[in-house]
Amino acid sequence: MYWDKYMLILSAITICSTDSHFLDQEWNAWKLNYDKKYITSDDEEFRRQVWEATWDKVQKHNQLADQGLKKYRLAVNHFADMTPKERESRSCFLTSGKSSTPVYDLAHNSNIPDEVDWRKTKCMTPVKNQGDFCGSCWAFATIGVIESRYCIKTDELLELSEQQLVDCDTNDNGCCGGHPVLALDYVAHFGIMKSKDYEYANKNLECSFNDKEALKLNLTKYYILPGEQNIAASVANDGPVSVGFAADEDFMFYSEGIFDGYCAPYANHAIIIVGYGTKEGEDEDDNEDYWIIKNSWGDMWGENGYAKIKRNVNMCEIGDDASTLDLI
């Protein structure tokens, strides 16, 4: 009897030791993969604890996905050592200041294809990364739409400057957030420089705009698109569209699949819709409509920087605050 108890205790110690060793390996590999360095051992220990909580959350979610109970998977990505409060502080989408912007209804044009994917064309710049210290998603969403739509009109793909918007667009709040419509208004008046001439810095700097180096766009109008049907019509006929999105914790750890998880209470992030499609089920009732979105969290996030989001249910307010522009 005593021998049995001893063996049970020894087995428990061995299992715990093995689990600890496995997590040590996972932690060290994750730090190396994302180039994570910490100033003090206390800071690293704190971040390790936060990371372990994230790791546990991701494993439990993906177990449900393996059982077919979740439609998307999560990953222990570069946000894994951030506390929930720090993740909330990344909010970078402001909804104020756009009340006078025209609203255009395009949904009457229902003759659009069943699927669209602008990634399959030459008019998509690489996925970019706004960094951990600047709430500039609004600038990346604005520039991404301009880059693609300019290319669609001119057949020339240029990488343009998000940093110019962060530093010089006084209608928005730089690293403290902004709105694509206000940024489009700025670009319409001043033009936009190329990114190689005004490089991204992941922080607010003094405005260094050079009018002589700015691309002057033939921008006829910029406007709001109400609802998902209008967004689909615009994406199909004219190109990518920027949208506000109520991103919660699950979206930050998204890895693959069609996202239909928890949402934040309000839109706090700007992303770009670059296409849409439908995943076919066993019968028509099981079909799943989705958006294809481009994010500004680097190509190690999601599906190489992109994601699929459930469509036609206004997932996380995706249809409430869309904006774009027309070029000639």
Side-chain angles (χ1 to χ4, degrees), residues 84-109:
K85 187 174 182 179
E86 288 171 330
R87 294 172 197 142
E88 290 173 11
S89 71
R90 288 180 57 85
S91 177
C92 56
F93 183 79
L94 306 180
T95 58
S96 60
K98 60 183 180 62
S99 59
S100 62
T101 305
V103 177
Y104 281 80
D105 187 345
L106 308 176
H108 59 276
N109 181 8

PDB file of all heavy atoms in Angstrom, residues 84-109:
ATOM      1  N   PRO A  84      -4.376  41.459 -20.435  1.00  0.00           N
ATOM      2  CA  PRO A  84      -5.638  41.920 -21.032  1.00  0.00           C
ATOM      3  C   PRO A  84      -5.752  43.443 -21.073  1.00  0.00           C
ATOM      4  O   PRO A  84      -6.239  43.995 -22.061  1.00  0.00           O
ATOM      5  CB  PRO A  84      -6.701  41.304 -20.111  1.00  0.00           C
ATOM      6  CG  PRO A  84      -6.054  40.057 -19.590  1.00  0.00           C
ATOM      7  CD  PRO A  84      -4.609  40.420 -19.415  1.00  0.00           C
ATOM      8  N   LYS A  85      -5.267  44.123 -20.041  1.00  0.00           N
ATOM      9  CA  LYS A  85      -5.324  45.587 -20.031  1.00  0.00           C
ATOM     10  C   LYS A  85      -4.449  46.174 -21.135  1.00  0.00           C
ATOM     11  O   LYS A  85      -4.821  47.144 -21.796  1.00  0.00           O
ATOM     12  CB  LYS A  85      -4.887  46.127 -18.668  1.00  0.00           C
ATOM     13  CG  LYS A  85      -5.066  47.629 -18.512  1.00  0.00           C
ATOM     14  CD  LYS A  85      -4.744  48.083 -17.092  1.00  0.00           C
ATOM     15  CE  LYS A  85      -4.973  49.585 -16.945  1.00  0.00           C
ATOM     16  NZ  LYS A  85      -4.681  50.050 -15.572  1.00  0.00           N
ATOM     17  N   GLU A  86      -3.282  45.593 -21.337  1.00  0.00           N
ATOM     18  CA  GLU A  86      -2.387  46.062 -22.399  1.00  0.00           C
ATOM     19  C   GLU A  86      -2.999  45.817 -23.772  1.00  0.00           C
ATOM     20  O   GLU A  86      -2.860  46.638 -24.686  1.00  0.00           O
ATOM     21  CB  GLU A  86      -1.034  45.368 -22.286  1.00  0.00           C
ATOM     22  CG  GLU A  86      -0.200  45.851 -21.113  1.00  0.00           C
ATOM     23  CD  GLU A  86       1.027  45.004 -20.887  1.00  0.00           C
ATOM     24  OE1 GLU A  86       1.001  43.795 -21.200  1.00  0.00           O
ATOM     25  OE2 GLU A  86       2.031  45.548 -20.375  1.00  0.00           O
ATOM     26  N   ARG A  87      -3.680  44.694 -23.943  1.00  0.00           N
ATOM     27  CA  ARG A  87      -4.337  44.421 -25.224  1.00  0.00           C
ATOM     28  C   ARG A  87      -5.450  45.429 -25.485  1.00  0.00           C
ATOM     29  O   ARG A  87      -5.619  45.900 -26.611  1.00  0.00           O
ATOM     30  CB  ARG A  87      -4.888  43.000 -25.236  1.00  0.00           C
ATOM     31  CG  ARG A  87      -3.810  41.930 -25.189  1.00  0.00           C
ATOM     32  CD  ARG A  87      -4.413  40.549 -25.006  1.00  0.00           C
ATOM     33  NE  ARG A  87      -3.410  39.599 -24.561  1.00  0.00           N
ATOM     34  CZ  ARG A  87      -3.621  38.641 -23.686  1.00  0.00           C
ATOM     35  NH1 ARG A  87      -4.826  38.472 -23.152  1.00  0.00           N
ATOM     36  NH2 ARG A  87      -2.662  37.821 -23.330  1.00  0.00           N
ATOM     37  N   GLU A  88      -6.207  45.758 -24.449  1.00  0.00           N
ATOM     38  CA  GLU A  88      -7.276  46.741 -24.600  1.00  0.00           C
ATOM     39  C   GLU A  88      -6.718  48.114 -24.969  1.00  0.00           C
ATOM     40  O   GLU A  88      -7.347  48.873 -25.708  1.00  0.00           O
ATOM     41  CB  GLU A  88      -8.076  46.849 -23.304  1.00  0.00           C
ATOM     42  CG  GLU A  88      -8.928  45.625 -23.000  1.00  0.00           C
ATOM     43  CD  GLU A  88      -9.584  45.709 -21.625  1.00  0.00           C
ATOM     44  OE1 GLU A  88      -9.528  46.801 -21.019  1.00  0.00           O
ATOM     45  OE2 GLU A  88     -10.129  44.695 -21.170  1.00  0.00           O
ATOM     46  N   SER A  89      -5.527  48.431 -24.478  1.00  0.00           N
ATOM     47  CA  SER A  89      -4.942  49.746 -24.723  1.00  0.00           C
ATOM     48  C   SER A  89      -4.512  49.928 -26.175  1.00  0.00           C
ATOM     49  O   SER A  89      -4.160  51.030 -26.583  1.00  0.00           O
ATOM     50  CB  SER A  89      -3.733  49.975 -23.804  1.00  0.00           C
ATOM     51  OG  SER A  89      -2.637  49.162 -24.190  1.00  0.00           O
ATOM     52  N   ARG A  90      -4.537  48.861 -26.981  1.00  0.00           N
ATOM     53  CA  ARG A  90      -4.155  48.956 -28.383  1.00  0.00           C
ATOM     54  C   ARG A  90      -5.255  49.559 -29.242  1.00  0.00           C
ATOM     55  O   ARG A  90      -5.087  49.712 -30.454  1.00  0.00           O
ATOM     56  CB  ARG A  90      -3.785  47.565 -28.928  1.00  0.00           C
ATOM     57  CG  ARG A  90      -2.470  47.032 -28.398  1.00  0.00           C
ATOM     58  CD  ARG A  90      -2.185  45.665 -28.982  1.00  0.00           C
ATOM     59  NE  ARG A  90      -2.172  45.682 -30.430  1.00  0.00           N
ATOM     60  CZ  ARG A  90      -1.125  45.999 -31.177  1.00  0.00           C
ATOM     61  NH1 ARG A  90       0.018  46.331 -30.584  1.00  0.00           N
ATOM     62  NH2 ARG A  90      -1.192  45.980 -32.487  1.00  0.00           N
ATOM     63  N   SER A  91      -6.385  49.901 -28.652  1.00  0.00           N
ATOM     64  CA  SER A  91      -7.486  50.500 -29.411  1.00  0.00           C
ATOM     65  C   SER A  91      -6.976  51.693 -30.216  1.00  0.00           C
ATOM     66  O   SER A  91      -6.323  52.588 -29.687  1.00  0.00           O
ATOM     67  CB  SER A  91      -8.592  50.951 -28.450  1.00  0.00           C
ATOM     68  OG  SER A  91      -9.632  51.590 -29.150  1.00  0.00           O
ATOM     69  N   CYS A  92      -7.277  51.696 -31.532  1.00  0.00           N
ATOM     70  CA  CYS A  92      -6.706  52.735 -32.397  1.00  0.00           C
ATOM     71  C   CYS A  92      -7.712  53.268 -33.404  1.00  0.00           C
ATOM     72  O   CYS A  92      -7.326  53.913 -34.384  1.00  0.00           O
ATOM     73  CB  CYS A  92      -5.472  52.198 -33.117  1.00  0.00           C
ATOM     74  SG  CYS A  92      -5.769  50.692 -34.076  1.00  0.00           S
ATOM     75  N   PHE A  93      -8.986  53.002 -33.183  1.00  0.00           N
ATOM     76  CA  PHE A  93     -10.020  53.414 -34.135  1.00  0.00           C
ATOM     77  C   PHE A  93     -10.962  54.392 -33.444  1.00  0.00           C
ATOM     78  O   PHE A  93     -11.625  54.043 -32.469  1.00  0.00           O
ATOM     79  CB  PHE A  93     -10.786  52.188 -34.628  1.00  0.00           C
ATOM     80  CG  PHE A  93     -11.827  52.488 -35.670  1.00  0.00           C
ATOM     81  CD1 PHE A  93     -11.468  52.693 -36.993  1.00  0.00           C
ATOM     82  CD2 PHE A  93     -13.169  52.545 -35.337  1.00  0.00           C
ATOM     83  CE1 PHE A  93     -12.420  52.956 -37.962  1.00  0.00           C
ATOM     84  CE2 PHE A  93     -14.131  52.805 -36.299  1.00  0.00           C
ATOM     85  CZ  PHE A  93     -13.762  53.010 -37.618  1.00  0.00           C
ATOM     86  N   LEU A  94     -10.998  55.622 -33.936  1.00  0.00           N
ATOM     87  CA  LEU A  94     -11.871  56.643 -33.370  1.00  0.00           C
ATOM     88  C   LEU A  94     -13.058  56.874 -34.300  1.00  0.00           C
ATOM     89  O   LEU A  94     -12.895  56.932 -35.523  1.00  0.00           O
ATOM     90  CB  LEU A  94     -11.095  57.949 -33.178  1.00  0.00           C
ATOM     91  CG  LEU A  94      -9.798  57.860 -32.366  1.00  0.00           C
ATOM     92  CD1 LEU A  94      -9.146  59.233 -32.278  1.00  0.00           C
ATOM     93  CD2 LEU A  94     -10.066  57.301 -30.975  1.00  0.00           C
ATOM     94  N   THR A  95     -14.244  57.016 -33.749  1.00  0.00           N
ATOM     95  CA  THR A  95     -15.442  57.155 -34.577  1.00  0.00           C
ATOM     96  C   THR A  95     -15.907  58.595 -34.706  1.00  0.00           C
ATOM     97  O   THR A  95     -16.862  58.872 -35.427  1.00  0.00           O
ATOM     98  CB  THR A  95     -16.598  56.330 -33.975  1.00  0.00           C
ATOM     99  OG1 THR A  95     -16.853  56.773 -32.629  1.00  0.00           O
ATOM    100  CG2 THR A  95     -16.254  54.849 -33.961  1.00  0.00           C
ATOM    101  N   SER A  96     -15.250  59.539 -34.056  1.00  0.00           N
ATOM    102  CA  SER A  96     -15.711  60.931 -34.079  1.00  0.00           C
ATOM    103  C   SER A  96     -15.212  61.652 -35.322  1.00  0.00           C
ATOM    104  O   SER A  96     -14.222  61.273 -35.933  1.00  0.00           O
ATOM    105  CB  SER A  96     -15.196  61.670 -32.843  1.00  0.00           C
ATOM    106  OG  SER A  96     -13.786  61.658 -32.813  1.00  0.00           O
ATOM    107  N   GLY A  97     -15.931  62.705 -35.730  1.00  0.00           N
ATOM    108  CA  GLY A  97     -15.453  63.598 -36.772  1.00  0.00           C
ATOM    109  C   GLY A  97     -15.820  63.219 -38.184  1.00  0.00           C
ATOM    110  O   GLY A  97     -15.336  63.819 -39.141  1.00  0.00           O
ATOM    111  N   LYS A  98     -16.703  62.229 -38.385  1.00  0.00           N
ATOM    112  CA  LYS A  98     -17.030  61.796 -39.733  1.00  0.00           C
ATOM    113  C   LYS A  98     -18.501  62.035 -40.088  1.00  0.00           C
ATOM    114  O   LYS A  98     -18.970  61.564 -41.121  1.00  0.00           O
ATOM    115  CB  LYS A  98     -16.713  60.315 -39.916  1.00  0.00           C
ATOM    116  CG  LYS A  98     -17.481  59.395 -38.958  1.00  0.00           C
ATOM    117  CD  LYS A  98     -17.072  57.951 -39.135  1.00  0.00           C
ATOM    118  CE  LYS A  98     -17.839  57.050 -38.184  1.00  0.00           C
ATOM    119  NZ  LYS A  98     -19.295  57.076 -38.420  1.00  0.00           N
ATOM    120  N   SER A  99     -19.228  62.789 -39.270  1.00  0.00           N
ATOM    121  CA  SER A  99     -20.669  62.925 -39.458  1.00  0.00           C
ATOM    122  C   SER A  99     -21.046  63.621 -40.760  1.00  0.00           C
ATOM    123  O   SER A  99     -22.121  63.406 -41.311  1.00  0.00           O
ATOM    124  CB  SER A  99     -21.275  63.677 -38.267  1.00  0.00           C
ATOM    125  OG  SER A  99     -20.677  64.956 -38.138  1.00  0.00           O
ATOM    126  N   SER A 100     -20.179  64.487 -41.293  1.00  0.00           N
ATOM    127  CA  SER A 100     -20.486  65.219 -42.519  1.00  0.00           C
ATOM    128  C   SER A 100     -20.052  64.498 -43.786  1.00  0.00           C
ATOM    129  O   SER A 100     -20.243  65.002 -44.893  1.00  0.00           O
ATOM    130  CB  SER A 100     -19.817  66.606 -42.471  1.00  0.00           C
ATOM    131  OG  SER A 100     -18.404  66.460 -42.394  1.00  0.00           O
ATOM    132  N   THR A 101     -19.475  63.301 -43.660  1.00  0.00           N
ATOM    133  CA  THR A 101     -19.003  62.562 -44.823  1.00  0.00           C
ATOM    134  C   THR A 101     -20.178  61.970 -45.591  1.00  0.00           C
ATOM    135  O   THR A 101     -21.098  61.407 -44.991  1.00  0.00           O
ATOM    136  CB  THR A 101     -18.065  61.433 -44.380  1.00  0.00           C
ATOM    137  OG1 THR A 101     -17.015  61.990 -43.588  1.00  0.00           O
ATOM    138  CG2 THR A 101     -17.469  60.714 -45.580  1.00  0.00           C
ATOM    139  N   PRO A 102     -20.183  62.079 -46.929  1.00  0.00           N
ATOM    140  CA  PRO A 102     -21.282  61.513 -47.715  1.00  0.00           C
ATOM    141  C   PRO A 102     -21.416  60.007 -47.519  1.00  0.00           C
ATOM    142  O   PRO A 102     -20.430  59.299 -47.288  1.00  0.00           O
ATOM    143  CB  PRO A 102     -20.883  61.837 -49.159  1.00  0.00           C
ATOM    144  CG  PRO A 102     -19.909  62.954 -49.061  1.00  0.00           C
ATOM    145  CD  PRO A 102     -19.193  62.765 -47.762  1.00  0.00           C
ATOM    146  N   VAL A 103     -22.638  59.518 -47.615  1.00  0.00           N
ATOM    147  CA  VAL A 103     -22.937  58.093 -47.527  1.00  0.00           C
ATOM    148  C   VAL A 103     -23.447  57.641 -48.890  1.00  0.00           C
ATOM    149  O   VAL A 103     -24.373  58.252 -49.442  1.00  0.00           O
ATOM    150  CB  VAL A 103     -23.985  57.798 -46.438  1.00  0.00           C
ATOM    151  CG1 VAL A 103     -24.333  56.319 -46.427  1.00  0.00           C
ATOM    152  CG2 VAL A 103     -23.472  58.245 -45.075  1.00  0.00           C
ATOM    153  N   TYR A 104     -22.867  56.582 -49.444  1.00  0.00           N
ATOM    154  CA  TYR A 104     -23.244  56.113 -50.777  1.00  0.00           C
ATOM    155  C   TYR A 104     -23.828  54.706 -50.686  1.00  0.00           C
ATOM    156  O   TYR A 104     -23.250  53.819 -50.057  1.00  0.00           O
ATOM    157  CB  TYR A 104     -22.035  56.111 -51.720  1.00  0.00           C
ATOM    158  CG  TYR A 104     -21.718  57.480 -52.255  1.00  0.00           C
ATOM    159  CD1 TYR A 104     -21.007  58.386 -51.484  1.00  0.00           C
ATOM    160  CD2 TYR A 104     -22.143  57.877 -53.515  1.00  0.00           C
ATOM    161  CE1 TYR A 104     -20.718  59.658 -51.959  1.00  0.00           C
ATOM    162  CE2 TYR A 104     -21.864  59.149 -53.995  1.00  0.00           C
ATOM    163  CZ  TYR A 104     -21.147  60.031 -53.217  1.00  0.00           C
ATOM    164  OH  TYR A 104     -20.873  61.292 -53.684  1.00  0.00           O
ATOM    165  N   ASP A 105     -24.981  54.542 -51.333  1.00  0.00           N
ATOM    166  CA  ASP A 105     -25.655  53.248 -51.380  1.00  0.00           C
ATOM    167  C   ASP A 105     -25.382  52.612 -52.732  1.00  0.00           C
ATOM    168  O   ASP A 105     -25.860  53.085 -53.765  1.00  0.00           O
ATOM    169  CB  ASP A 105     -27.159  53.449 -51.173  1.00  0.00           C
ATOM    170  CG  ASP A 105     -27.913  52.130 -51.034  1.00  0.00           C
ATOM    171  OD1 ASP A 105     -27.327  51.082 -51.380  1.00  0.00           O
ATOM    172  OD2 ASP A 105     -29.072  52.139 -50.598  1.00  0.00           O
ATOM    173  N   LEU A 106     -24.601  51.547 -52.736  1.00  0.00           N
ATOM    174  CA  LEU A 106     -24.247  50.859 -53.970  1.00  0.00           C
ATOM    175  C   LEU A 106     -24.937  49.505 -54.100  1.00  0.00           C
ATOM    176  O   LEU A 106     -24.773  48.818 -55.107  1.00  0.00           O
ATOM    177  CB  LEU A 106     -22.725  50.629 -54.020  1.00  0.00           C
ATOM    178  CG  LEU A 106     -21.829  51.850 -53.792  1.00  0.00           C
ATOM    179  CD1 LEU A 106     -20.372  51.414 -53.774  1.00  0.00           C
ATOM    180  CD2 LEU A 106     -22.056  52.902 -54.864  1.00  0.00           C
ATOM    181  N   ALA A 107     -25.715  49.121 -53.078  1.00  0.00           N
ATOM    182  CA  ALA A 107     -26.254  47.757 -53.024  1.00  0.00           C
ATOM    183  C   ALA A 107     -27.281  47.484 -54.112  1.00  0.00           C
ATOM    184  O   ALA A 107     -27.599  46.321 -54.385  1.00  0.00           O
ATOM    185  CB  ALA A 107     -26.863  47.498 -51.651  1.00  0.00           C
ATOM    186  N   HIS A 108     -27.825  48.541 -54.740  1.00  0.00           N
ATOM    187  CA  HIS A 108     -28.790  48.300 -55.815  1.00  0.00           C
ATOM    188  C   HIS A 108     -28.134  47.582 -56.987  1.00  0.00           C
ATOM    189  O   HIS A 108     -28.806  46.958 -57.796  1.00  0.00           O
ATOM    190  CB  HIS A 108     -29.385  49.631 -56.292  1.00  0.00           C
ATOM    191  CG  HIS A 108     -28.359  50.602 -56.813  1.00  0.00           C
ATOM    192  ND1 HIS A 108     -27.647  51.438 -55.983  1.00  0.00           N
ATOM    193  CD2 HIS A 108     -27.908  50.837 -58.071  1.00  0.00           C
ATOM    194  CE1 HIS A 108     -26.815  52.174 -56.722  1.00  0.00           C
ATOM    195  NE2 HIS A 108     -26.950  51.827 -57.977  1.00  0.00           N
ATOM    196  N   ASN A 109     -26.805  47.680 -57.056  1.00  0.00           N
ATOM    197  CA  ASN A 109     -26.071  46.941 -58.087  1.00  0.00           C
ATOM    198  C   ASN A 109     -25.732  45.559 -57.530  1.00  0.00           C
ATOM    199  O   ASN A 109     -24.677  45.344 -56.950  1.00  0.00           O
ATOM    200  CB  ASN A 109     -24.797  47.694 -58.469  1.00  0.00           C
ATOM    201  CG  ASN A 109     -24.012  46.968 -59.556  1.00  0.00           C
ATOM    202  OD1 ASN A 109     -24.491  45.993 -60.117  1.00  0.00           O
ATOM    203  ND2 ASN A 109     -22.813  47.447 -59.833  1.00  0.00           N
TER     204      ASN A 109
END
